[in-house]
Amino acid sequence: MAKQQRKYNMEYNIQAVKLAKEIGGAKAAAEFFFLGVLLN
């Protein structure tokens, strides 16, 4: 069974890139994964 690909709006993507530049990619990925879980 194929996983459904998530779609994010442009604002979410911009915030993810800004956060990654500020705190590093791995930490930002963890933060946004956590937020994604909370929002779903």
Side-chain angles (χ1 to χ4, degrees), residues 18-33:
K18 286 181 182 178
L19 185 63
K21 287 181 178 180
E22 289 178 15
I23 66 172
K27 277 187 168 181
E31 289 281 330
F32 274 92
F33 173 76

Side-chain angles (χ1 to χ4, degrees), residues 5-6 9-10 15-16 19 23 25 27 29 32-33 35-37:
Q5 188 173 12
R6 294 183 181 179
N9 65 24
M10 186 58 74
Q15 292 301 318
L19 185 63
I23 66 172
K27 277 187 168 181
F32 274 92
F33 173 76
L35 289 174
V37 169

